[in-house]
Amino acid sequence: MLALETSTFRNAMARLGAAVNIVTTGTREDPVGFTASAVCSVTDTPPTLLVCLNRASRAREAFVMGGPLCVNVLSGTQQALSNHFASPNSMAERFATGHWTTLATGAPVLEEAVATFDCRISQIVEVGTHSVLFGVVEALRIHETAGGLVYFNRAYHALPHTAP
């Protein structure tokens, strides 16, 4: 079997829609954050999720074993905030937008997020160009009235709110 071309793999992965998130660590006084779509549930006992972070990211060194990790799921109206956190802006510039508080771990929590998963990092696994951060959820918050934001085929798409 021939090895896959990187571009072919990336083109196929672009067809795998994913929620758009801002992942944070640190504190409100010294926050670090980046935009991520590579986030998924691992298990519900204990409640655990994973986040993939490029090892070359300037945010990488702030995420250490045992440290906080907060996944803030963005709403359909927060595309500009996603782009803001994906830009070369400084961390201070990134966190100047939005309303930030904390939950259990002290990591920055976006008040306007559709859902927030406040975690402690239990494990970091290095795979190729990325670090896979496993976070055990210590607290969460859900806003029941907001629709989501997904990234599919290299474009943002707003999802409407639907009643549970």
Side-chain angles (χ1 to χ4, degrees):
M1 184 171 161
L2 297 174
L4 289 175
E5 290 286 327
T6 300
S7 62
T8 303
F9 177 74
R10 286 184 179 178
N11 288 338
M13 289 303 297
R15 304 311 194 277
L16 179 63
V20 180
N21 311 277
I22 293 177
V23 180
T24 64
T25 193
T27 63
R28 285 182 63 197
E29 295 75 31
D30 189 22
V32 174
F34 67 97
T35 300
S37 60
V39 174
C40 73
S41 170
V42 175
T43 180
D44 63 1
T45 309
T48 305
L49 53 77
L50 68 78
V51 175
C52 295
L53 171 61
N54 191 306
R55 290 168 69 177
S57 169
R58 62 186 161 134
R60 167 64 176 83
E61 71 180 58
F63 290 87
V64 295
M65 187 79 84
L69 176 145
C70 186
V71 175
N72 299 280
V73 182
L74 297 185
S75 76
T77 63
Q78 294 174 315
Q79 177 180 336
L81 188 61
S82 170
N83 289 333
H84 186 66
F85 268 76
S87 76
N89 290 330
S90 71
M91 292 302 164
E93 290 170 322
R94 290 179 183 189
F95 284 91
T97 302
H99 300 96
W100 299 93
T101 60
T102 60
L103 292 174
T105 69
V109 170
L110 180 64
E111 280 291 315
E112 301 87 356
V114 172
T116 299
F117 300 88
D118 191 28
C119 310
R120 287 265 172 222
I121 298 173
S122 63
Q123 185 177 7
I124 300 174
V125 178
E126 306 299 337
V127 179
T129 59
H130 282 69
S131 298
V132 183
L133 313 172
F134 291 86
V136 177
V137 180
E138 292 190 4
L140 58 86
R141 184 172 52 208
I142 302 170
H143 285 152
E144 300 284 346
T145 60
L149 180 65
V150 296
Y151 199 70
F152 174 79
N153 204 20
R154 296 184 176 91
Y156 290 103
H157 303 274
L159 299 177
H161 166 69
T162 56

PDB file of all heavy atoms in Angstrom, residues 115-144:
ATOM      1  N   ALA A 115     -20.786  25.845  25.862  1.00  0.00           N
ATOM      2  CA  ALA A 115     -20.494  24.906  26.945  1.00  0.00           C
ATOM      3  C   ALA A 115     -19.044  25.119  27.351  1.00  0.00           C
ATOM      4  O   ALA A 115     -18.212  25.535  26.539  1.00  0.00           O
ATOM      5  CB  ALA A 115     -20.708  23.461  26.500  1.00  0.00           C
ATOM      6  N   THR A 116     -18.760  24.848  28.615  1.00  0.00           N
ATOM      7  CA  THR A 116     -17.414  24.989  29.146  1.00  0.00           C
ATOM      8  C   THR A 116     -17.060  23.724  29.907  1.00  0.00           C
ATOM      9  O   THR A 116     -17.842  23.256  30.735  1.00  0.00           O
ATOM     10  CB  THR A 116     -17.329  26.202  30.099  1.00  0.00           C
ATOM     11  OG1 THR A 116     -17.646  27.383  29.357  1.00  0.00           O
ATOM     12  CG2 THR A 116     -15.957  26.334  30.698  1.00  0.00           C
ATOM     13  N   PHE A 117     -15.888  23.173  29.606  1.00  0.00           N
ATOM     14  CA  PHE A 117     -15.362  21.993  30.287  1.00  0.00           C
ATOM     15  C   PHE A 117     -14.076  22.411  30.991  1.00  0.00           C
ATOM     16  O   PHE A 117     -13.062  22.635  30.347  1.00  0.00           O
ATOM     17  CB  PHE A 117     -15.069  20.867  29.287  1.00  0.00           C
ATOM     18  CG  PHE A 117     -16.279  20.419  28.521  1.00  0.00           C
ATOM     19  CD1 PHE A 117     -16.639  21.038  27.334  1.00  0.00           C
ATOM     20  CD2 PHE A 117     -17.058  19.379  28.991  1.00  0.00           C
ATOM     21  CE1 PHE A 117     -17.748  20.632  26.618  1.00  0.00           C
ATOM     22  CE2 PHE A 117     -18.183  18.961  28.285  1.00  0.00           C
ATOM     23  CZ  PHE A 117     -18.530  19.591  27.103  1.00  0.00           C
ATOM     24  N   ASP A 118     -14.129  22.525  32.299  1.00  0.00           N
ATOM     25  CA  ASP A 118     -12.996  22.967  33.103  1.00  0.00           C
ATOM     26  C   ASP A 118     -12.283  21.722  33.631  1.00  0.00           C
ATOM     27  O   ASP A 118     -12.864  20.959  34.406  1.00  0.00           O
ATOM     28  CB  ASP A 118     -13.508  23.839  34.248  1.00  0.00           C
ATOM     29  CG  ASP A 118     -12.417  24.566  34.983  1.00  0.00           C
ATOM     30  OD1 ASP A 118     -11.364  24.858  34.380  1.00  0.00           O
ATOM     31  OD2 ASP A 118     -12.622  24.870  36.182  1.00  0.00           O
ATOM     32  N   CYS A 119     -11.044  21.506  33.193  1.00  0.00           N
ATOM     33  CA  CYS A 119     -10.348  20.235  33.416  1.00  0.00           C
ATOM     34  C   CYS A 119      -8.982  20.402  34.068  1.00  0.00           C
ATOM     35  O   CYS A 119      -8.405  21.484  34.054  1.00  0.00           O
ATOM     36  CB  CYS A 119     -10.106  19.533  32.075  1.00  0.00           C
ATOM     37  SG  CYS A 119     -11.536  19.385  31.002  1.00  0.00           S
ATOM     38  N   ARG A 120      -8.452  19.291  34.562  1.00  0.00           N
ATOM     39  CA  ARG A 120      -7.040  19.151  34.942  1.00  0.00           C
ATOM     40  C   ARG A 120      -6.410  18.188  33.947  1.00  0.00           C
ATOM     41  O   ARG A 120      -6.989  17.149  33.624  1.00  0.00           O
ATOM     42  CB  ARG A 120      -6.890  18.560  36.338  1.00  0.00           C
ATOM     43  CG  ARG A 120      -7.243  19.496  37.422  1.00  0.00           C
ATOM     44  CD  ARG A 120      -6.028  20.213  37.969  1.00  0.00           C
ATOM     45  NE  ARG A 120      -6.484  21.237  38.890  1.00  0.00           N
ATOM     46  CZ  ARG A 120      -5.997  22.446  38.952  1.00  0.00           C
ATOM     47  NH1 ARG A 120      -5.009  22.806  38.174  1.00  0.00           N
ATOM     48  NH2 ARG A 120      -6.477  23.317  39.793  1.00  0.00           N
ATOM     49  N   ILE A 121      -5.220  18.512  33.478  1.00  0.00           N
ATOM     50  CA  ILE A 121      -4.532  17.646  32.521  1.00  0.00           C
ATOM     51  C   ILE A 121      -3.996  16.418  33.263  1.00  0.00           C
ATOM     52  O   ILE A 121      -3.219  16.542  34.203  1.00  0.00           O
ATOM     53  CB  ILE A 121      -3.396  18.398  31.806  1.00  0.00           C
ATOM     54  CG1 ILE A 121      -3.977  19.558  31.000  1.00  0.00           C
ATOM     55  CG2 ILE A 121      -2.600  17.448  30.908  1.00  0.00           C
ATOM     56  CD1 ILE A 121      -2.945  20.471  30.382  1.00  0.00           C
ATOM     57  N   SER A 122      -4.433  15.244  32.830  1.00  0.00           N
ATOM     58  CA  SER A 122      -4.024  13.992  33.477  1.00  0.00           C
ATOM     59  C   SER A 122      -2.897  13.293  32.732  1.00  0.00           C
ATOM     60  O   SER A 122      -2.174  12.483  33.310  1.00  0.00           O
ATOM     61  CB  SER A 122      -5.208  13.036  33.593  1.00  0.00           C
ATOM     62  OG  SER A 122      -5.673  12.674  32.301  1.00  0.00           O
ATOM     63  N   GLN A 123      -2.774  13.598  31.450  1.00  0.00           N
ATOM     64  CA  GLN A 123      -1.782  12.908  30.628  1.00  0.00           C
ATOM     65  C   GLN A 123      -1.524  13.722  29.370  1.00  0.00           C
ATOM     66  O   GLN A 123      -2.424  14.378  28.854  1.00  0.00           O
ATOM     67  CB  GLN A 123      -2.320  11.514  30.257  1.00  0.00           C
ATOM     68  CG  GLN A 123      -1.371  10.637  29.515  1.00  0.00           C
ATOM     69  CD  GLN A 123      -1.979   9.251  29.256  1.00  0.00           C
ATOM     70  OE1 GLN A 123      -3.140   8.989  29.513  1.00  0.00           O
ATOM     71  NE2 GLN A 123      -1.179   8.380  28.715  1.00  0.00           N
ATOM     72  N   ILE A 124      -0.291  13.682  28.891  1.00  0.00           N
ATOM     73  CA  ILE A 124       0.070  14.294  27.612  1.00  0.00           C
ATOM     74  C   ILE A 124       0.809  13.241  26.803  1.00  0.00           C
ATOM     75  O   ILE A 124       1.775  12.655  27.285  1.00  0.00           O
ATOM     76  CB  ILE A 124       0.964  15.539  27.798  1.00  0.00           C
ATOM     77  CG1 ILE A 124       0.244  16.591  28.639  1.00  0.00           C
ATOM     78  CG2 ILE A 124       1.369  16.110  26.435  1.00  0.00           C
ATOM     79  CD1 ILE A 124       1.098  17.794  29.009  1.00  0.00           C
ATOM     80  N   VAL A 125       0.331  12.993  25.597  1.00  0.00           N
ATOM     81  CA  VAL A 125       0.949  12.014  24.716  1.00  0.00           C
ATOM     82  C   VAL A 125       1.416  12.741  23.457  1.00  0.00           C
ATOM     83  O   VAL A 125       0.642  13.468  22.833  1.00  0.00           O
ATOM     84  CB  VAL A 125      -0.047  10.888  24.343  1.00  0.00           C
ATOM     85  CG1 VAL A 125       0.585   9.898  23.377  1.00  0.00           C
ATOM     86  CG2 VAL A 125      -0.550  10.181  25.594  1.00  0.00           C
ATOM     87  N   GLU A 126       2.675  12.560  23.110  1.00  0.00           N
ATOM     88  CA  GLU A 126       3.233  13.181  21.914  1.00  0.00           C
ATOM     89  C   GLU A 126       3.026  12.243  20.725  1.00  0.00           C
ATOM     90  O   GLU A 126       3.445  11.086  20.766  1.00  0.00           O
ATOM     91  CB  GLU A 126       4.724  13.481  22.108  1.00  0.00           C
ATOM     92  CG  GLU A 126       5.043  14.310  23.344  1.00  0.00           C
ATOM     93  CD  GLU A 126       4.414  15.691  23.363  1.00  0.00           C
ATOM     94  OE1 GLU A 126       4.073  16.223  22.288  1.00  0.00           O
ATOM     95  OE2 GLU A 126       4.248  16.241  24.463  1.00  0.00           O
ATOM     96  N   VAL A 127       2.366  12.742  19.677  1.00  0.00           N
ATOM     97  CA  VAL A 127       2.093  11.945  18.480  1.00  0.00           C
ATOM     98  C   VAL A 127       2.442  12.803  17.268  1.00  0.00           C
ATOM     99  O   VAL A 127       1.751  13.789  16.987  1.00  0.00           O
ATOM    100  CB  VAL A 127       0.613  11.504  18.407  1.00  0.00           C
ATOM    101  CG1 VAL A 127       0.359  10.696  17.139  1.00  0.00           C
ATOM    102  CG2 VAL A 127       0.206  10.723  19.648  1.00  0.00           C
ATOM    103  N   GLY A 128       3.506  12.450  16.585  1.00  0.00           N
ATOM    104  CA  GLY A 128       3.915  13.207  15.397  1.00  0.00           C
ATOM    105  C   GLY A 128       4.136  14.666  15.730  1.00  0.00           C
ATOM    106  O   GLY A 128       4.890  15.014  16.630  1.00  0.00           O
ATOM    107  N   THR A 129       3.425  15.538  15.025  1.00  0.00           N
ATOM    108  CA  THR A 129       3.593  16.985  15.189  1.00  0.00           C
ATOM    109  C   THR A 129       2.751  17.567  16.318  1.00  0.00           C
ATOM    110  O   THR A 129       2.803  18.763  16.578  1.00  0.00           O
ATOM    111  CB  THR A 129       3.202  17.709  13.885  1.00  0.00           C
ATOM    112  OG1 THR A 129       1.833  17.391  13.584  1.00  0.00           O
ATOM    113  CG2 THR A 129       4.108  17.314  12.736  1.00  0.00           C
ATOM    114  N   HIS A 130       1.971  16.736  17.007  1.00  0.00           N
ATOM    115  CA  HIS A 130       1.027  17.249  17.996  1.00  0.00           C
ATOM    116  C   HIS A 130       1.190  16.617  19.378  1.00  0.00           C
ATOM    117  O   HIS A 130       1.666  15.484  19.500  1.00  0.00           O
ATOM    118  CB  HIS A 130      -0.407  17.041  17.510  1.00  0.00           C
ATOM    119  CG  HIS A 130      -0.810  18.049  16.491  1.00  0.00           C
ATOM    120  ND1 HIS A 130      -0.275  18.086  15.228  1.00  0.00           N
ATOM    121  CD2 HIS A 130      -1.681  19.080  16.563  1.00  0.00           C
ATOM    122  CE1 HIS A 130      -0.813  19.092  14.557  1.00  0.00           C
ATOM    123  NE2 HIS A 130      -1.668  19.712  15.343  1.00  0.00           N
ATOM    124  N   SER A 131       0.747  17.383  20.373  1.00  0.00           N
ATOM    125  CA  SER A 131       0.603  16.886  21.743  1.00  0.00           C
ATOM    126  C   SER A 131      -0.877  16.614  21.948  1.00  0.00           C
ATOM    127  O   SER A 131      -1.721  17.461  21.615  1.00  0.00           O
ATOM    128  CB  SER A 131       1.060  17.931  22.761  1.00  0.00           C
ATOM    129  OG  SER A 131       2.418  18.232  22.596  1.00  0.00           O
ATOM    130  N   VAL A 132      -1.200  15.439  22.479  1.00  0.00           N
ATOM    131  CA  VAL A 132      -2.579  15.108  22.806  1.00  0.00           C
ATOM    132  C   VAL A 132      -2.729  15.292  24.314  1.00  0.00           C
ATOM    133  O   VAL A 132      -2.088  14.586  25.098  1.00  0.00           O
ATOM    134  CB  VAL A 132      -2.942  13.671  22.381  1.00  0.00           C
ATOM    135  CG1 VAL A 132      -4.416  13.392  22.684  1.00  0.00           C
ATOM    136  CG2 VAL A 132      -2.634  13.449  20.898  1.00  0.00           C
ATOM    137  N   LEU A 133      -3.530  16.268  24.701  1.00  0.00           N
ATOM    138  CA  LEU A 133      -3.732  16.605  26.103  1.00  0.00           C
ATOM    139  C   LEU A 133      -5.018  15.957  26.589  1.00  0.00           C
ATOM    140  O   LEU A 133      -6.086  16.201  26.019  1.00  0.00           O
ATOM    141  CB  LEU A 133      -3.839  18.127  26.267  1.00  0.00           C
ATOM    142  CG  LEU A 133      -2.793  18.979  25.554  1.00  0.00           C
ATOM    143  CD1 LEU A 133      -3.162  20.451  25.647  1.00  0.00           C
ATOM    144  CD2 LEU A 133      -1.419  18.725  26.120  1.00  0.00           C
ATOM    145  N   PHE A 134      -4.928  15.135  27.616  1.00  0.00           N
ATOM    146  CA  PHE A 134      -6.104  14.499  28.197  1.00  0.00           C
ATOM    147  C   PHE A 134      -6.507  15.290  29.437  1.00  0.00           C
ATOM    148  O   PHE A 134      -5.684  15.515  30.325  1.00  0.00           O
ATOM    149  CB  PHE A 134      -5.813  13.047  28.576  1.00  0.00           C
ATOM    150  CG  PHE A 134      -5.616  12.155  27.392  1.00  0.00           C
ATOM    151  CD1 PHE A 134      -4.370  12.041  26.792  1.00  0.00           C
ATOM    152  CD2 PHE A 134      -6.683  11.443  26.857  1.00  0.00           C
ATOM    153  CE1 PHE A 134      -4.184  11.220  25.684  1.00  0.00           C
ATOM    154  CE2 PHE A 134      -6.505  10.631  25.746  1.00  0.00           C
ATOM    155  CZ  PHE A 134      -5.256  10.516  25.161  1.00  0.00           C
ATOM    156  N   GLY A 135      -7.754  15.705  29.506  1.00  0.00           N
ATOM    157  CA  GLY A 135      -8.235  16.499  30.629  1.00  0.00           C
ATOM    158  C   GLY A 135      -9.391  15.821  31.331  1.00  0.00           C
ATOM    159  O   GLY A 135     -10.369  15.423  30.696  1.00  0.00           O
ATOM    160  N   VAL A 136      -9.277  15.692  32.663  1.00  0.00           N
ATOM    161  CA  VAL A 136     -10.365  15.167  33.479  1.00  0.00           C
ATOM    162  C   VAL A 136     -11.216  16.358  33.915  1.00  0.00           C
ATOM    163  O   VAL A 136     -10.712  17.307  34.517  1.00  0.00           O
ATOM    164  CB  VAL A 136      -9.828  14.388  34.706  1.00  0.00           C
ATOM    165  CG1 VAL A 136     -10.980  13.910  35.576  1.00  0.00           C
ATOM    166  CG2 VAL A 136      -8.974  13.214  34.249  1.00  0.00           C
ATOM    167  N   VAL A 137     -12.504  16.304  33.611  1.00  0.00           N
ATOM    168  CA  VAL A 137     -13.407  17.424  33.855  1.00  0.00           C
ATOM    169  C   VAL A 137     -13.691  17.564  35.350  1.00  0.00           C
ATOM    170  O   VAL A 137     -14.127  16.616  35.998  1.00  0.00           O
ATOM    171  CB  VAL A 137     -14.727  17.261  33.072  1.00  0.00           C
ATOM    172  CG1 VAL A 137     -15.667  18.430  33.334  1.00  0.00           C
ATOM    173  CG2 VAL A 137     -14.454  17.108  31.582  1.00  0.00           C
ATOM    174  N   GLU A 138     -13.435  18.774  35.878  1.00  0.00           N
ATOM    175  CA  GLU A 138     -13.722  19.074  37.285  1.00  0.00           C
ATOM    176  C   GLU A 138     -14.992  19.896  37.441  1.00  0.00           C
ATOM    177  O   GLU A 138     -15.631  19.863  38.485  1.00  0.00           O
ATOM    178  CB  GLU A 138     -12.537  19.810  37.924  1.00  0.00           C
ATOM    179  CG  GLU A 138     -11.310  18.937  38.071  1.00  0.00           C
ATOM    180  CD  GLU A 138     -10.231  19.584  38.923  1.00  0.00           C
ATOM    181  OE1 GLU A 138     -10.449  20.692  39.475  1.00  0.00           O
ATOM    182  OE2 GLU A 138      -9.163  18.970  39.032  1.00  0.00           O
ATOM    183  N   ALA A 139     -15.335  20.662  36.416  1.00  0.00           N
ATOM    184  CA  ALA A 139     -16.552  21.474  36.444  1.00  0.00           C
ATOM    185  C   ALA A 139     -16.986  21.732  35.015  1.00  0.00           C
ATOM    186  O   ALA A 139     -16.175  21.672  34.092  1.00  0.00           O
ATOM    187  CB  ALA A 139     -16.295  22.807  37.164  1.00  0.00           C
ATOM    188  N   LEU A 140     -18.271  21.985  34.842  1.00  0.00           N
ATOM    189  CA  LEU A 140     -18.756  22.351  33.519  1.00  0.00           C
ATOM    190  C   LEU A 140     -19.934  23.286  33.633  1.00  0.00           C
ATOM    191  O   LEU A 140     -20.566  23.400  34.683  1.00  0.00           O
ATOM    192  CB  LEU A 140     -19.079  21.136  32.653  1.00  0.00           C
ATOM    193  CG  LEU A 140     -20.091  20.114  33.121  1.00  0.00           C
ATOM    194  CD1 LEU A 140     -21.492  20.517  32.746  1.00  0.00           C
ATOM    195  CD2 LEU A 140     -19.770  18.783  32.482  1.00  0.00           C
ATOM    196  N   ARG A 141     -20.185  23.971  32.528  1.00  0.00           N
ATOM    197  CA  ARG A 141     -21.314  24.888  32.454  1.00  0.00           C
ATOM    198  C   ARG A 141     -21.883  24.791  31.046  1.00  0.00           C
ATOM    199  O   ARG A 141     -21.135  24.684  30.075  1.00  0.00           O
ATOM    200  CB  ARG A 141     -20.861  26.308  32.763  1.00  0.00           C
ATOM    201  CG  ARG A 141     -22.013  27.280  32.782  1.00  0.00           C
ATOM    202  CD  ARG A 141     -21.651  28.658  33.270  1.00  0.00           C
ATOM    203  NE  ARG A 141     -20.513  29.157  32.533  1.00  0.00           N
ATOM    204  CZ  ARG A 141     -19.655  30.034  33.034  1.00  0.00           C
ATOM    205  NH1 ARG A 141     -19.774  30.460  34.256  1.00  0.00           N
ATOM    206  NH2 ARG A 141     -18.662  30.476  32.304  1.00  0.00           N
ATOM    207  N   ILE A 142     -23.207  24.854  30.948  1.00  0.00           N
ATOM    208  CA  ILE A 142     -23.895  24.773  29.654  1.00  0.00           C
ATOM    209  C   ILE A 142     -24.843  25.954  29.531  1.00  0.00           C
ATOM    210  O   ILE A 142     -25.598  26.241  30.455  1.00  0.00           O
ATOM    211  CB  ILE A 142     -24.700  23.454  29.535  1.00  0.00           C
ATOM    212  CG1 ILE A 142     -23.793  22.242  29.693  1.00  0.00           C
ATOM    213  CG2 ILE A 142     -25.462  23.415  28.221  1.00  0.00           C
ATOM    214  CD1 ILE A 142     -24.546  20.932  29.840  1.00  0.00           C
ATOM    215  N   HIS A 143     -24.810  26.630  28.376  1.00  0.00           N
ATOM    216  CA  HIS A 143     -25.808  27.644  28.050  1.00  0.00           C
ATOM    217  C   HIS A 143     -26.800  26.992  27.103  1.00  0.00           C
ATOM    218  O   HIS A 143     -26.438  26.647  25.975  1.00  0.00           O
ATOM    219  CB  HIS A 143     -25.168  28.875  27.421  1.00  0.00           C
ATOM    220  CG  HIS A 143     -24.446  29.716  28.416  1.00  0.00           C
ATOM    221  ND1 HIS A 143     -23.381  30.507  28.102  1.00  0.00           N
ATOM    222  CD2 HIS A 143     -24.641  29.892  29.747  1.00  0.00           C
ATOM    223  CE1 HIS A 143     -22.956  31.144  29.179  1.00  0.00           C
ATOM    224  NE2 HIS A 143     -23.698  30.767  30.187  1.00  0.00           N
ATOM    225  N   GLU A 144     -27.991  26.821  27.553  1.00  0.00           N
ATOM    226  CA  GLU A 144     -29.018  26.056  26.843  1.00  0.00           C
ATOM    227  C   GLU A 144     -29.592  26.748  25.607  1.00  0.00           C
ATOM    228  O   GLU A 144     -30.242  26.105  24.804  1.00  0.00           O
ATOM    229  CB  GLU A 144     -30.180  25.730  27.799  1.00  0.00           C
ATOM    230  CG  GLU A 144     -29.784  24.923  29.012  1.00  0.00           C
ATOM    231  CD  GLU A 144     -29.543  23.455  28.723  1.00  0.00           C
ATOM    232  OE1 GLU A 144     -29.924  22.980  27.628  1.00  0.00           O
ATOM    233  OE2 GLU A 144     -28.966  22.784  29.594  1.00  0.00           O
TER     234      GLU A 144
END
